[in-house]
């Protein structure tokens, strides 16, 4: 017998990644559904449906590669500005998708959370999301956060309002309002900040996504439109992340 040869055993190793340095939290701005559809000569909604298929793939790929938290931007607080037909189509898609996927998510012990102003969503969609959160709340595999009717500024405003109420009730004083206090009142205070933020379809902007939480996230932008984004593209983003030096303002030799 030859000396032991270390064989890749985890999915991360098989993909050529260092399993010790997989980002715990990956956030994705899933952009480019409309451009993808246009290039195919299809309507924008078929781009969104294809984007749903991509998302399903990426959720399970991220889990398999060892990502602990995946947060995706599904509908921004500014996306209401789109034509009514597209907005309605997206609400319908989210409802159908949640209904179609919930059992498989449960089987895979994925915890689902929805971040955003849920009370402004159509009641049936809100109920479906609340049900999904309730049914998966004790799961310990990937935590899958869906940012829906989400705005980074709105999230900070909502946190400030909660703090203002506590102040008004005399539960805190102005000096208690520090970074930790604001962070503790965001939509998912128990989840660590994203290590890696991926944006598909090439735009170099945040579009009001996770403004507070991405203060020190590594940013990766790919020209690939979301419907074409694959497990291989995710692996490429993770490999790029593993070549970065994170400094958090300090000097790192
Ligand atoms: C992202 O794709 C999905 C949502 C915003 C819901 P877009 O619909 O923004 O696609 P482009 O940017 O028009 O190509
Ligand atoms: C951000 O994409 C929102 C989502 C991906 C859900 P947009 O397409 O809405 O962003 P802008 O308008 O290009 O900045
Ligand atoms: Mg877009």
């Amino acid at each position: 017998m030859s000396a032991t040869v270390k064989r890749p055993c985890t999915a991360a190793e098989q993909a050529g990644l260092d399993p010790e340095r997989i980002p715990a939290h990956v956030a994705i701005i899933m952009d480019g559904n409309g451009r993808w559809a246009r290039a195919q000569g299809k309507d924008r909604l078929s781009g969104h449906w294809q984007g749903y298929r991509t998302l399903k793939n990426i959720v399970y790929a991220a889990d398999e590669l060892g990502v602990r938290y995946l947060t995706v931007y599904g509908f921004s607080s500014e996306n209401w500005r789109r034509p009514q037909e597209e907005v309605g189509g997206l609400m319908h898609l989210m409802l159908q998708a949640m209904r179609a996927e919930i059992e498989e998510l449960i089987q895979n012990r994925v915890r689902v959370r929805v971040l955003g102003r849920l009370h402004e969503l159509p009641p049936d969609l809100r109920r479906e999301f609340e049900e999904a959160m309730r049914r998966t709340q004790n799961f310990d595999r990937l935590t899958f956060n869906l940012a829906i009717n989400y705005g980074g500024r709105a999230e900070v405003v909502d946190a400030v309002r909660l703090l203002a109420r506590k102040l008004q009730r005399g539960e805190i004083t102005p000096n208690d309002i520090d970074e930790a206090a604001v962070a503790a009142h965001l939509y998912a205070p128990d989840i660590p900040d994203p290590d890696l933020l991926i944006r598909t379809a090439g735009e170099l902007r945040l579009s009001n996504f996770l403004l507070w939480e991405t203060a020190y996230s590594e940013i990766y932008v790919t020209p690939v439109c979301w419907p074409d984004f694959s497990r291989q593209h995710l692996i490429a983003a993770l490999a790029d992340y593993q070549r970065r030096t994170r400094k958090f303002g300090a000097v790192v030799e």
Side-chain angles (χ1 to χ4, degrees):
M1 284 289 281
S2 60
T4 51
V5 178
K6 201 162 175 260
R7 264 194 235 101
C9 48
T10 63
E13 282 173 295
Q14 279 164 13
L17 297 167
D18 176 355
E20 304 293 319
R21 295 189 54 229
I22 297 294
H25 185 173
V26 175
I28 309 182
I29 301 174
M30 309 182 291
D31 198 18
N33 295 352
R35 275 163 280 176
W36 181 89
R38 178 190 278 267
Q40 309 268 320
K42 295 179 179 160
D43 59 21
R44 294 179 58 83
L45 272 176
S46 51
H48 296 315
W49 278 93
Q50 195 58 42
Y52 156 39
R53 287 175 202 115
T54 297
L55 179 57
K56 177 167 183 175
N57 251 334
I58 293 304
V59 166
Y60 295 116
D63 184 32
E64 198 187 282
L65 291 165
V67 172
R68 304 291 305 157
Y69 306 93
L70 178 71
T71 303
V72 301
Y73 208 1
F75 191 88
S76 78
S77 46
E78 289 73 36
N79 286 149
W80 298 105
R81 294 175 188 158
R82 294 187 178 203
Q84 210 185 330
E85 191 189 316
E86 183 174 351
V87 171
L90 280 165
M91 297 296 148
H92 173 72
L93 188 168
M94 289 189 271
L95 187 67
Q96 296 298 311
M98 203 70 250
R99 284 184 180 156
E101 300 303 330
I102 187 62
E103 300 303 333
E104 197 172 334
L105 289 163
I106 288 170
Q107 270 165 27
N108 287 283
R109 305 187 62 78
V110 173
R111 180 170 180 194
V112 178
R113 293 173 75 164
V114 186
L115 318 180
R117 290 184 174 166
L118 287 195
H119 58 275
E120 292 170 0
L121 293 174
D124 51 353
L125 182 58
R126 179 187 175 175
R127 262 197 310 277
E128 203 66 33
F129 281 151
E130 281 171 347
E131 181 78 355
M133 286 192 272
R134 189 187 57 73
R135 293 181 70 195
T136 63
Q137 64 185 344
N138 295 320
F139 290 154
D140 51 2
R141 294 277 314 182
L142 179 78
T143 295
F144 172 43
N145 301 309
L146 271 159
I148 306 292
N149 191 24
Y150 173 90
R153 288 182 174 177
E155 182 182 24
V156 174
V157 167
D158 288 349
V160 170
R161 275 194 195 141
L162 291 173
L163 286 165
R165 288 204 192 97
K166 288 190 176 175
L167 191 78
Q168 199 174 35
R169 292 196 296 262
E171 293 166 17
I172 56 169
T173 68
N175 282 337
D176 293 324
I177 302 177
D178 55 11
E179 289 189 14
V182 175
H185 292 81
L186 297 174
Y187 296 147
D190 50 320
I191 291 178
D193 288 342
D195 301 292
L196 173 65
L197 170 69
I198 299 172
R199 181 165 188 148
T200 61
E203 307 294 349
L204 301 177
R205 56 177 172 256
L206 288 175
S207 304
N208 203 14
F209 190 42
L210 302 178
L211 297 182
W212 178 281
E213 298 88 336
T214 52
Y216 272 102
S217 303
E218 296 294 327
I219 300 176
Y220 179 89
V221 177
T222 169
V224 174
C225 285
W226 178 249
D228 285 330
F229 192 82
S230 65
R231 184 179 192 274
Q232 244 359 84
H233 293 116
L234 176 65
I235 290 167
L238 298 180
D240 193 277
Y241 170 84
Q242 295 195 333
R243 290 189 291 271
R244 309 273 182 100
T245 303
R246 303 189 72 186
K247 293 166 67 178
F248 299 97
V251 176
V252 176
E253 297 298 338

